[in-house]
Amino acid sequence: MDQKLSKLVEELTTSGEPQLNSEKMKELKKICKSSDEYINHVYHLLITQLNEEHAEIRFSAFQIVNELFTRSHLFRTLVISNFQEFLELTVETDYEQPLPPPVEVAQKLKKMAIQSVQEWHEKYGEAYKKLSLGYHFLKQNKKVDFNDVRSKTLFERKREEEKQKRLDRKST
């Protein structure tokens, strides 16, 4: 069954499709329902995929995370136990680790991740202290405006300001 899970996660995250294959997703969720051991295994497989240097793989992996997060207490606990790394891989909270290309998909990933964190916070924030802390960290420290559709982080704004300064220097 572990191999079946590995194969499903691999196929779902490397298809290059913007939407997850619903049949494979059903199969994955069904397997996860049958045992906590499988949830644990899927979590580790997804973290591996979130570490890939390709935004499309991360985007697909995040979509699976989002599906499972809303369905499993154990899965929420696993994601939240390593929430800082999770945010670095999906929201680009570490200025030393920008999201990998393609840029358009990286932006979609970031936007979806920020929206999901906000929804998770609204739905589960009371029960999971680290989730609440992560949400407030994004809001206060990273200056993520959860109302801004583009959801620019402080890092992106700094990058744009530096680019503008360089352009201004060149034009003088």
PDB file of all heavy atoms in Angstrom, residues 30-66:
ATOM      1  N   LYS A  30      -9.279   7.711   0.015  1.00  0.00           N
ATOM      2  CA  LYS A  30      -9.813   6.436   0.509  1.00  0.00           C
ATOM      3  C   LYS A  30      -8.729   5.656   1.271  1.00  0.00           C
ATOM      4  O   LYS A  30      -8.984   5.124   2.352  1.00  0.00           O
ATOM      5  CB  LYS A  30     -10.336   5.612  -0.674  1.00  0.00           C
ATOM      6  CG  LYS A  30     -11.071   4.355  -0.272  1.00  0.00           C
ATOM      7  CD  LYS A  30     -11.602   3.624  -1.496  1.00  0.00           C
ATOM      8  CE  LYS A  30     -12.228   2.308  -1.091  1.00  0.00           C
ATOM      9  NZ  LYS A  30     -12.609   1.514  -2.257  1.00  0.00           N
ATOM     10  N   ILE A  31      -7.535   5.617   0.717  1.00  0.00           N
ATOM     11  CA  ILE A  31      -6.424   4.918   1.377  1.00  0.00           C
ATOM     12  C   ILE A  31      -6.098   5.607   2.703  1.00  0.00           C
ATOM     13  O   ILE A  31      -5.914   4.949   3.729  1.00  0.00           O
ATOM     14  CB  ILE A  31      -5.169   4.855   0.468  1.00  0.00           C
ATOM     15  CG1 ILE A  31      -5.456   3.994  -0.768  1.00  0.00           C
ATOM     16  CG2 ILE A  31      -3.969   4.304   1.235  1.00  0.00           C
ATOM     17  CD1 ILE A  31      -4.401   4.083  -1.865  1.00  0.00           C
ATOM     18  N   CYS A  32      -6.039   6.939   2.677  1.00  0.00           N
ATOM     19  CA  CYS A  32      -5.723   7.690   3.902  1.00  0.00           C
ATOM     20  C   CYS A  32      -6.753   7.449   4.999  1.00  0.00           C
ATOM     21  O   CYS A  32      -6.400   7.388   6.181  1.00  0.00           O
ATOM     22  CB  CYS A  32      -5.622   9.182   3.604  1.00  0.00           C
ATOM     23  SG  CYS A  32      -4.136   9.617   2.698  1.00  0.00           S
ATOM     24  N   LYS A  33      -8.017   7.313   4.614  1.00  0.00           N
ATOM     25  CA  LYS A  33      -9.086   7.060   5.585  1.00  0.00           C
ATOM     26  C   LYS A  33      -8.885   5.741   6.325  1.00  0.00           C
ATOM     27  O   LYS A  33      -9.299   5.601   7.464  1.00  0.00           O
ATOM     28  CB  LYS A  33     -10.442   6.991   4.870  1.00  0.00           C
ATOM     29  CG  LYS A  33     -11.237   8.246   4.959  1.00  0.00           C
ATOM     30  CD  LYS A  33     -12.614   7.992   4.365  1.00  0.00           C
ATOM     31  CE  LYS A  33     -13.305   9.272   4.037  1.00  0.00           C
ATOM     32  NZ  LYS A  33     -14.558   9.067   3.338  1.00  0.00           N
ATOM     33  N   SER A  34      -8.265   4.794   5.664  1.00  0.00           N
ATOM     34  CA  SER A  34      -8.164   3.455   6.236  1.00  0.00           C
ATOM     35  C   SER A  34      -7.146   3.318   7.375  1.00  0.00           C
ATOM     36  O   SER A  34      -7.255   2.401   8.173  1.00  0.00           O
ATOM     37  CB  SER A  34      -7.862   2.418   5.139  1.00  0.00           C
ATOM     38  OG  SER A  34      -6.572   2.625   4.611  1.00  0.00           O
ATOM     39  N   SER A  35      -6.161   4.237   7.453  1.00  0.00           N
ATOM     40  CA  SER A  35      -5.169   4.094   8.515  1.00  0.00           C
ATOM     41  C   SER A  35      -4.353   5.364   8.737  1.00  0.00           C
ATOM     42  O   SER A  35      -3.959   6.036   7.787  1.00  0.00           O
ATOM     43  CB  SER A  35      -4.213   2.945   8.147  1.00  0.00           C
ATOM     44  OG  SER A  35      -3.048   2.983   8.923  1.00  0.00           O
ATOM     45  N   ASP A  36      -4.069   5.644  10.020  1.00  0.00           N
ATOM     46  CA  ASP A  36      -3.221   6.784  10.369  1.00  0.00           C
ATOM     47  C   ASP A  36      -1.810   6.611   9.803  1.00  0.00           C
ATOM     48  O   ASP A  36      -1.141   7.588   9.479  1.00  0.00           O
ATOM     49  CB  ASP A  36      -3.134   6.945  11.891  1.00  0.00           C
ATOM     50  CG  ASP A  36      -4.409   7.546  12.477  1.00  0.00           C
ATOM     51  OD1 ASP A  36      -5.312   7.933  11.686  1.00  0.00           O
ATOM     52  OD2 ASP A  36      -4.497   7.631  13.714  1.00  0.00           O
ATOM     53  N   GLU A  37      -1.379   5.377   9.685  1.00  0.00           N
ATOM     54  CA  GLU A  37      -0.049   5.092   9.144  1.00  0.00           C
ATOM     55  C   GLU A  37       0.062   5.652   7.723  1.00  0.00           C
ATOM     56  O   GLU A  37       1.081   6.212   7.326  1.00  0.00           O
ATOM     57  CB  GLU A  37       0.190   3.577   9.132  1.00  0.00           C
ATOM     58  CG  GLU A  37       1.569   3.171   8.657  1.00  0.00           C
ATOM     59  CD  GLU A  37       1.693   1.659   8.537  1.00  0.00           C
ATOM     60  OE1 GLU A  37       1.120   0.933   9.364  1.00  0.00           O
ATOM     61  OE2 GLU A  37       2.367   1.222   7.579  1.00  0.00           O
ATOM     62  N   TYR A  38      -1.016   5.517   6.947  1.00  0.00           N
ATOM     63  CA  TYR A  38      -1.010   6.013   5.570  1.00  0.00           C
ATOM     64  C   TYR A  38      -1.028   7.538   5.526  1.00  0.00           C
ATOM     65  O   TYR A  38      -0.410   8.152   4.658  1.00  0.00           O
ATOM     66  CB  TYR A  38      -2.173   5.429   4.766  1.00  0.00           C
ATOM     67  CG  TYR A  38      -2.099   3.925   4.648  1.00  0.00           C
ATOM     68  CD1 TYR A  38      -3.239   3.139   4.776  1.00  0.00           C
ATOM     69  CD2 TYR A  38      -0.881   3.275   4.417  1.00  0.00           C
ATOM     70  CE1 TYR A  38      -3.171   1.754   4.676  1.00  0.00           C
ATOM     71  CE2 TYR A  38      -0.808   1.889   4.319  1.00  0.00           C
ATOM     72  CZ  TYR A  38      -1.951   1.141   4.449  1.00  0.00           C
ATOM     73  OH  TYR A  38      -1.881  -0.225   4.355  1.00  0.00           O
ATOM     74  N   ILE A  39      -1.731   8.135   6.460  1.00  0.00           N
ATOM     75  CA  ILE A  39      -1.760   9.602   6.538  1.00  0.00           C
ATOM     76  C   ILE A  39      -0.342  10.108   6.799  1.00  0.00           C
ATOM     77  O   ILE A  39       0.124  11.050   6.155  1.00  0.00           O
ATOM     78  CB  ILE A  39      -2.741  10.091   7.630  1.00  0.00           C
ATOM     79  CG1 ILE A  39      -4.175   9.824   7.178  1.00  0.00           C
ATOM     80  CG2 ILE A  39      -2.531  11.575   7.936  1.00  0.00           C
ATOM     81  CD1 ILE A  39      -5.228  10.098   8.209  1.00  0.00           C
ATOM     82  N   ASN A  40       0.319   9.459   7.733  1.00  0.00           N
ATOM     83  CA  ASN A  40       1.699   9.799   8.056  1.00  0.00           C
ATOM     84  C   ASN A  40       2.596   9.676   6.828  1.00  0.00           C
ATOM     85  O   ASN A  40       3.408  10.564   6.539  1.00  0.00           O
ATOM     86  CB  ASN A  40       2.189   8.821   9.140  1.00  0.00           C
ATOM     87  CG  ASN A  40       2.862   9.547  10.266  1.00  0.00           C
ATOM     88  OD1 ASN A  40       3.527  10.545  10.066  1.00  0.00           O
ATOM     89  ND2 ASN A  40       2.680   9.007  11.458  1.00  0.00           N
ATOM     90  N   HIS A  41       2.445   8.577   6.109  1.00  0.00           N
ATOM     91  CA  HIS A  41       3.253   8.312   4.928  1.00  0.00           C
ATOM     92  C   HIS A  41       2.981   9.370   3.846  1.00  0.00           C
ATOM     93  O   HIS A  41       3.928   9.914   3.251  1.00  0.00           O
ATOM     94  CB  HIS A  41       2.969   6.893   4.397  1.00  0.00           C
ATOM     95  CG  HIS A  41       3.882   6.470   3.296  1.00  0.00           C
ATOM     96  ND1 HIS A  41       5.253   6.384   3.452  1.00  0.00           N
ATOM     97  CD2 HIS A  41       3.619   6.133   2.009  1.00  0.00           C
ATOM     98  CE1 HIS A  41       5.789   5.998   2.302  1.00  0.00           C
ATOM     99  NE2 HIS A  41       4.822   5.841   1.407  1.00  0.00           N
ATOM    100  N   VAL A  42       1.723   9.690   3.598  1.00  0.00           N
ATOM    101  CA  VAL A  42       1.363  10.691   2.591  1.00  0.00           C
ATOM    102  C   VAL A  42       1.928  12.051   2.975  1.00  0.00           C
ATOM    103  O   VAL A  42       2.433  12.786   2.121  1.00  0.00           O
ATOM    104  CB  VAL A  42      -0.179  10.764   2.387  1.00  0.00           C
ATOM    105  CG1 VAL A  42      -0.594  12.032   1.678  1.00  0.00           C
ATOM    106  CG2 VAL A  42      -0.656   9.567   1.609  1.00  0.00           C
ATOM    107  N   TYR A  43       1.861  12.386   4.255  1.00  0.00           N
ATOM    108  CA  TYR A  43       2.414  13.662   4.715  1.00  0.00           C
ATOM    109  C   TYR A  43       3.888  13.765   4.316  1.00  0.00           C
ATOM    110  O   TYR A  43       4.320  14.771   3.734  1.00  0.00           O
ATOM    111  CB  TYR A  43       2.250  13.818   6.236  1.00  0.00           C
ATOM    112  CG  TYR A  43       3.076  14.946   6.785  1.00  0.00           C
ATOM    113  CD1 TYR A  43       2.668  16.272   6.611  1.00  0.00           C
ATOM    114  CD2 TYR A  43       4.284  14.708   7.439  1.00  0.00           C
ATOM    115  CE1 TYR A  43       3.440  17.322   7.085  1.00  0.00           C
ATOM    116  CE2 TYR A  43       5.054  15.749   7.915  1.00  0.00           C
ATOM    117  CZ  TYR A  43       4.634  17.059   7.733  1.00  0.00           C
ATOM    118  OH  TYR A  43       5.407  18.097   8.191  1.00  0.00           O
ATOM    119  N   HIS A  44       4.664  12.729   4.597  1.00  0.00           N
ATOM    120  CA  HIS A  44       6.100  12.751   4.282  1.00  0.00           C
ATOM    121  C   HIS A  44       6.353  12.787   2.773  1.00  0.00           C
ATOM    122  O   HIS A  44       7.270  13.477   2.310  1.00  0.00           O
ATOM    123  CB  HIS A  44       6.822  11.591   4.971  1.00  0.00           C
ATOM    124  CG  HIS A  44       6.866  11.788   6.456  1.00  0.00           C
ATOM    125  ND1 HIS A  44       7.649  12.739   7.065  1.00  0.00           N
ATOM    126  CD2 HIS A  44       6.167  11.191   7.449  1.00  0.00           C
ATOM    127  CE1 HIS A  44       7.451  12.720   8.369  1.00  0.00           C
ATOM    128  NE2 HIS A  44       6.545  11.780   8.637  1.00  0.00           N
ATOM    129  N   LEU A  45       5.526  12.086   2.016  1.00  0.00           N
ATOM    130  CA  LEU A  45       5.648  12.131   0.555  1.00  0.00           C
ATOM    131  C   LEU A  45       5.381  13.551   0.037  1.00  0.00           C
ATOM    132  O   LEU A  45       6.090  14.048  -0.845  1.00  0.00           O
ATOM    133  CB  LEU A  45       4.656  11.156  -0.102  1.00  0.00           C
ATOM    134  CG  LEU A  45       4.907   9.662   0.089  1.00  0.00           C
ATOM    135  CD1 LEU A  45       3.698   8.860  -0.401  1.00  0.00           C
ATOM    136  CD2 LEU A  45       6.165   9.223  -0.660  1.00  0.00           C
ATOM    137  N   LEU A  46       4.374  14.201   0.607  1.00  0.00           N
ATOM    138  CA  LEU A  46       4.014  15.548   0.153  1.00  0.00           C
ATOM    139  C   LEU A  46       5.080  16.575   0.543  1.00  0.00           C
ATOM    140  O   LEU A  46       5.382  17.477  -0.243  1.00  0.00           O
ATOM    141  CB  LEU A  46       2.643  15.948   0.706  1.00  0.00           C
ATOM    142  CG  LEU A  46       1.477  15.190   0.069  1.00  0.00           C
ATOM    143  CD1 LEU A  46       0.184  15.436   0.838  1.00  0.00           C
ATOM    144  CD2 LEU A  46       1.314  15.561  -1.405  1.00  0.00           C
ATOM    145  N   ILE A  47       5.658  16.431   1.720  1.00  0.00           N
ATOM    146  CA  ILE A  47       6.727  17.349   2.123  1.00  0.00           C
ATOM    147  C   ILE A  47       7.912  17.202   1.168  1.00  0.00           C
ATOM    148  O   ILE A  47       8.536  18.187   0.766  1.00  0.00           O
ATOM    149  CB  ILE A  47       7.153  17.117   3.601  1.00  0.00           C
ATOM    150  CG1 ILE A  47       6.048  17.611   4.544  1.00  0.00           C
ATOM    151  CG2 ILE A  47       8.487  17.795   3.921  1.00  0.00           C
ATOM    152  CD1 ILE A  47       5.739  19.105   4.468  1.00  0.00           C
ATOM    153  N   THR A  48       8.200  15.970   0.769  1.00  0.00           N
ATOM    154  CA  THR A  48       9.270  15.735  -0.207  1.00  0.00           C
ATOM    155  C   THR A  48       8.953  16.465  -1.507  1.00  0.00           C
ATOM    156  O   THR A  48       9.827  17.132  -2.081  1.00  0.00           O
ATOM    157  CB  THR A  48       9.449  14.214  -0.468  1.00  0.00           C
ATOM    158  OG1 THR A  48       9.760  13.585   0.773  1.00  0.00           O
ATOM    159  CG2 THR A  48      10.541  13.939  -1.473  1.00  0.00           C
ATOM    160  N   GLN A  49       7.703  16.387  -1.964  1.00  0.00           N
ATOM    161  CA  GLN A  49       7.315  17.049  -3.213  1.00  0.00           C
ATOM    162  C   GLN A  49       7.337  18.580  -3.053  1.00  0.00           C
ATOM    163  O   GLN A  49       7.683  19.293  -3.981  1.00  0.00           O
ATOM    164  CB  GLN A  49       5.931  16.593  -3.687  1.00  0.00           C
ATOM    165  CG  GLN A  49       5.859  15.128  -4.089  1.00  0.00           C
ATOM    166  CD  GLN A  49       6.833  14.757  -5.199  1.00  0.00           C
ATOM    167  OE1 GLN A  49       8.011  14.569  -4.980  1.00  0.00           O
ATOM    168  NE2 GLN A  49       6.315  14.676  -6.406  1.00  0.00           N
ATOM    169  N   LEU A  50       6.988  19.067  -1.861  1.00  0.00           N
ATOM    170  CA  LEU A  50       7.023  20.512  -1.617  1.00  0.00           C
ATOM    171  C   LEU A  50       8.455  21.053  -1.612  1.00  0.00           C
ATOM    172  O   LEU A  50       8.677  22.248  -1.783  1.00  0.00           O
ATOM    173  CB  LEU A  50       6.332  20.869  -0.295  1.00  0.00           C
ATOM    174  CG  LEU A  50       4.805  20.810  -0.302  1.00  0.00           C
ATOM    175  CD1 LEU A  50       4.261  20.980   1.110  1.00  0.00           C
ATOM    176  CD2 LEU A  50       4.208  21.854  -1.230  1.00  0.00           C
ATOM    177  N   ASN A  51       9.417  20.177  -1.427  1.00  0.00           N
ATOM    178  CA  ASN A  51      10.825  20.576  -1.448  1.00  0.00           C
ATOM    179  C   ASN A  51      11.422  20.580  -2.853  1.00  0.00           C
ATOM    180  O   ASN A  51      12.553  21.012  -3.043  1.00  0.00           O
ATOM    181  CB  ASN A  51      11.657  19.667  -0.537  1.00  0.00           C
ATOM    182  CG  ASN A  51      11.666  20.159   0.891  1.00  0.00           C
ATOM    183  OD1 ASN A  51      12.314  21.149   1.196  1.00  0.00           O
ATOM    184  ND2 ASN A  51      10.914  19.496   1.752  1.00  0.00           N
ATOM    185  N   GLU A  52      10.654  20.089  -3.831  1.00  0.00           N
ATOM    186  CA  GLU A  52      11.152  20.062  -5.212  1.00  0.00           C
ATOM    187  C   GLU A  52      11.333  21.488  -5.736  1.00  0.00           C
ATOM    188  O   GLU A  52      10.570  22.380  -5.389  1.00  0.00           O
ATOM    189  CB  GLU A  52      10.161  19.315  -6.124  1.00  0.00           C
ATOM    190  CG  GLU A  52      10.127  17.822  -5.907  1.00  0.00           C
ATOM    191  CD  GLU A  52      11.425  17.131  -6.303  1.00  0.00           C
ATOM    192  OE1 GLU A  52      12.059  17.540  -7.293  1.00  0.00           O
ATOM    193  OE2 GLU A  52      11.806  16.175  -5.596  1.00  0.00           O
ATOM    194  N   GLU A  53      12.335  21.657  -6.569  1.00  0.00           N
ATOM    195  CA  GLU A  53      12.610  22.976  -7.134  1.00  0.00           C
ATOM    196  C   GLU A  53      11.801  23.223  -8.407  1.00  0.00           C
ATOM    197  O   GLU A  53      12.345  23.593  -9.446  1.00  0.00           O
ATOM    198  CB  GLU A  53      14.122  23.134  -7.409  1.00  0.00           C
ATOM    199  CG  GLU A  53      14.948  23.339  -6.153  1.00  0.00           C
ATOM    200  CD  GLU A  53      14.534  24.570  -5.339  1.00  0.00           C
ATOM    201  OE1 GLU A  53      14.381  25.656  -5.933  1.00  0.00           O
ATOM    202  OE2 GLU A  53      14.338  24.432  -4.120  1.00  0.00           O
ATOM    203  N   HIS A  54      10.526  22.993  -8.335  1.00  0.00           N
ATOM    204  CA  HIS A  54       9.637  23.229  -9.467  1.00  0.00           C
ATOM    205  C   HIS A  54       8.274  23.650  -8.926  1.00  0.00           C
ATOM    206  O   HIS A  54       7.633  22.895  -8.190  1.00  0.00           O
ATOM    207  CB  HIS A  54       9.513  21.960 -10.315  1.00  0.00           C
ATOM    208  CG  HIS A  54       8.991  22.235 -11.680  1.00  0.00           C
ATOM    209  ND1 HIS A  54       7.695  22.634 -11.915  1.00  0.00           N
ATOM    210  CD2 HIS A  54       9.596  22.180 -12.891  1.00  0.00           C
ATOM    211  CE1 HIS A  54       7.524  22.814 -13.216  1.00  0.00           C
ATOM    212  NE2 HIS A  54       8.671  22.550 -13.834  1.00  0.00           N
ATOM    213  N   ALA A  55       7.830  24.831  -9.295  1.00  0.00           N
ATOM    214  CA  ALA A  55       6.582  25.384  -8.748  1.00  0.00           C
ATOM    215  C   ALA A  55       5.347  24.548  -9.072  1.00  0.00           C
ATOM    216  O   ALA A  55       4.437  24.464  -8.252  1.00  0.00           O
ATOM    217  CB  ALA A  55       6.388  26.820  -9.228  1.00  0.00           C
ATOM    218  N   GLU A  56       5.311  23.911 -10.256  1.00  0.00           N
ATOM    219  CA  GLU A  56       4.128  23.118 -10.601  1.00  0.00           C
ATOM    220  C   GLU A  56       3.987  21.903  -9.690  1.00  0.00           C
ATOM    221  O   GLU A  56       2.876  21.547  -9.298  1.00  0.00           O
ATOM    222  CB  GLU A  56       4.163  22.702 -12.075  1.00  0.00           C
ATOM    223  CG  GLU A  56       3.880  23.872 -12.993  1.00  0.00           C
ATOM    224  CD  GLU A  56       3.955  23.525 -14.469  1.00  0.00           C
ATOM    225  OE1 GLU A  56       4.542  22.489 -14.836  1.00  0.00           O
ATOM    226  OE2 GLU A  56       3.414  24.325 -15.256  1.00  0.00           O
ATOM    227  N   ILE A  57       5.109  21.276  -9.349  1.00  0.00           N
ATOM    228  CA  ILE A  57       5.072  20.129  -8.430  1.00  0.00           C
ATOM    229  C   ILE A  57       4.607  20.603  -7.057  1.00  0.00           C
ATOM    230  O   ILE A  57       3.737  19.998  -6.434  1.00  0.00           O
ATOM    231  CB  ILE A  57       6.455  19.435  -8.349  1.00  0.00           C
ATOM    232  CG1 ILE A  57       6.789  18.791  -9.702  1.00  0.00           C
ATOM    233  CG2 ILE A  57       6.487  18.397  -7.220  1.00  0.00           C
ATOM    234  CD1 ILE A  57       8.190  18.207  -9.812  1.00  0.00           C
ATOM    235  N   ARG A  58       5.165  21.718  -6.601  1.00  0.00           N
ATOM    236  CA  ARG A  58       4.762  22.265  -5.300  1.00  0.00           C
ATOM    237  C   ARG A  58       3.283  22.653  -5.302  1.00  0.00           C
ATOM    238  O   ARG A  58       2.590  22.435  -4.313  1.00  0.00           O
ATOM    239  CB  ARG A  58       5.607  23.490  -4.937  1.00  0.00           C
ATOM    240  CG  ARG A  58       7.022  23.149  -4.568  1.00  0.00           C
ATOM    241  CD  ARG A  58       7.722  24.348  -3.982  1.00  0.00           C
ATOM    242  NE  ARG A  58       9.136  24.124  -3.826  1.00  0.00           N
ATOM    243  CZ  ARG A  58       9.948  24.944  -3.173  1.00  0.00           C
ATOM    244  NH1 ARG A  58       9.473  26.043  -2.613  1.00  0.00           N
ATOM    245  NH2 ARG A  58      11.225  24.669  -3.080  1.00  0.00           N
ATOM    246  N   PHE A  59       2.830  23.241  -6.402  1.00  0.00           N
ATOM    247  CA  PHE A  59       1.431  23.666  -6.494  1.00  0.00           C
ATOM    248  C   PHE A  59       0.497  22.461  -6.384  1.00  0.00           C
ATOM    249  O   PHE A  59      -0.475  22.482  -5.629  1.00  0.00           O
ATOM    250  CB  PHE A  59       1.189  24.422  -7.812  1.00  0.00           C
ATOM    251  CG  PHE A  59      -0.193  24.980  -7.961  1.00  0.00           C
ATOM    252  CD1 PHE A  59      -0.650  25.995  -7.133  1.00  0.00           C
ATOM    253  CD2 PHE A  59      -1.057  24.495  -8.937  1.00  0.00           C
ATOM    254  CE1 PHE A  59      -1.931  26.521  -7.265  1.00  0.00           C
ATOM    255  CE2 PHE A  59      -2.338  25.002  -9.078  1.00  0.00           C
ATOM    256  CZ  PHE A  59      -2.780  26.018  -8.241  1.00  0.00           C
ATOM    257  N   SER A  60       0.794  21.399  -7.105  1.00  0.00           N
ATOM    258  CA  SER A  60      -0.034  20.183  -7.033  1.00  0.00           C
ATOM    259  C   SER A  60       0.037  19.562  -5.642  1.00  0.00           C
ATOM    260  O   SER A  60      -0.983  19.136  -5.093  1.00  0.00           O
ATOM    261  CB  SER A  60       0.421  19.168  -8.086  1.00  0.00           C
ATOM    262  OG  SER A  60       0.196  19.678  -9.378  1.00  0.00           O
ATOM    263  N   ALA A  61       1.231  19.515  -5.074  1.00  0.00           N
ATOM    264  CA  ALA A  61       1.397  18.950  -3.725  1.00  0.00           C
ATOM    265  C   ALA A  61       0.587  19.775  -2.721  1.00  0.00           C
ATOM    266  O   ALA A  61      -0.077  19.219  -1.841  1.00  0.00           O
ATOM    267  CB  ALA A  61       2.874  18.919  -3.328  1.00  0.00           C
ATOM    268  N   PHE A  62       0.618  21.093  -2.882  1.00  0.00           N
ATOM    269  CA  PHE A  62      -0.147  21.940  -1.971  1.00  0.00           C
ATOM    270  C   PHE A  62      -1.648  21.674  -2.091  1.00  0.00           C
ATOM    271  O   PHE A  62      -2.356  21.672  -1.095  1.00  0.00           O
ATOM    272  CB  PHE A  62       0.131  23.434  -2.198  1.00  0.00           C
ATOM    273  CG  PHE A  62      -0.700  24.269  -1.275  1.00  0.00           C
ATOM    274  CD1 PHE A  62      -0.328  24.415   0.049  1.00  0.00           C
ATOM    275  CD2 PHE A  62      -1.897  24.816  -1.690  1.00  0.00           C
ATOM    276  CE1 PHE A  62      -1.138  25.110   0.943  1.00  0.00           C
ATOM    277  CE2 PHE A  62      -2.715  25.509  -0.818  1.00  0.00           C
ATOM    278  CZ  PHE A  62      -2.323  25.653   0.501  1.00  0.00           C
ATOM    279  N   GLN A  63      -2.128  21.464  -3.299  1.00  0.00           N
ATOM    280  CA  GLN A  63      -3.557  21.187  -3.486  1.00  0.00           C
ATOM    281  C   GLN A  63      -3.962  19.919  -2.732  1.00  0.00           C
ATOM    282  O   GLN A  63      -5.034  19.866  -2.131  1.00  0.00           O
ATOM    283  CB  GLN A  63      -3.887  21.040  -4.975  1.00  0.00           C
ATOM    284  CG  GLN A  63      -3.825  22.355  -5.729  1.00  0.00           C
ATOM    285  CD  GLN A  63      -4.121  22.144  -7.202  1.00  0.00           C
ATOM    286  OE1 GLN A  63      -5.279  21.970  -7.579  1.00  0.00           O
ATOM    287  NE2 GLN A  63      -3.108  22.148  -8.029  1.00  0.00           N
ATOM    288  N   ILE A  64      -3.081  18.918  -2.734  1.00  0.00           N
ATOM    289  CA  ILE A  64      -3.364  17.678  -1.986  1.00  0.00           C
ATOM    290  C   ILE A  64      -3.353  17.977  -0.490  1.00  0.00           C
ATOM    291  O   ILE A  64      -4.236  17.537   0.246  1.00  0.00           O
ATOM    292  CB  ILE A  64      -2.349  16.564  -2.331  1.00  0.00           C
ATOM    293  CG1 ILE A  64      -2.391  16.235  -3.821  1.00  0.00           C
ATOM    294  CG2 ILE A  64      -2.629  15.314  -1.494  1.00  0.00           C
ATOM    295  CD1 ILE A  64      -1.258  15.323  -4.298  1.00  0.00           C
ATOM    296  N   VAL A  65      -2.349  18.748  -0.054  1.00  0.00           N
ATOM    297  CA  VAL A  65      -2.266  19.120   1.365  1.00  0.00           C
ATOM    298  C   VAL A  65      -3.558  19.806   1.784  1.00  0.00           C
ATOM    299  O   VAL A  65      -4.135  19.483   2.825  1.00  0.00           O
ATOM    300  CB  VAL A  65      -1.045  20.053   1.631  1.00  0.00           C
ATOM    301  CG1 VAL A  65      -1.133  20.687   3.015  1.00  0.00           C
ATOM    302  CG2 VAL A  65       0.261  19.289   1.482  1.00  0.00           C
ATOM    303  N   ASN A  66      -4.023  20.727   0.966  1.00  0.00           N
ATOM    304  CA  ASN A  66      -5.241  21.478   1.289  1.00  0.00           C
ATOM    305  C   ASN A  66      -6.450  20.548   1.431  1.00  0.00           C
ATOM    306  O   ASN A  66      -7.251  20.690   2.362  1.00  0.00           O
ATOM    307  CB  ASN A  66      -5.481  22.544   0.221  1.00  0.00           C
ATOM    308  CG  ASN A  66      -6.440  23.617   0.677  1.00  0.00           C
ATOM    309  OD1 ASN A  66      -6.609  23.865   1.872  1.00  0.00           O
ATOM    310  ND2 ASN A  66      -7.075  24.255  -0.266  1.00  0.00           N
TER     311      ASN A  66
END
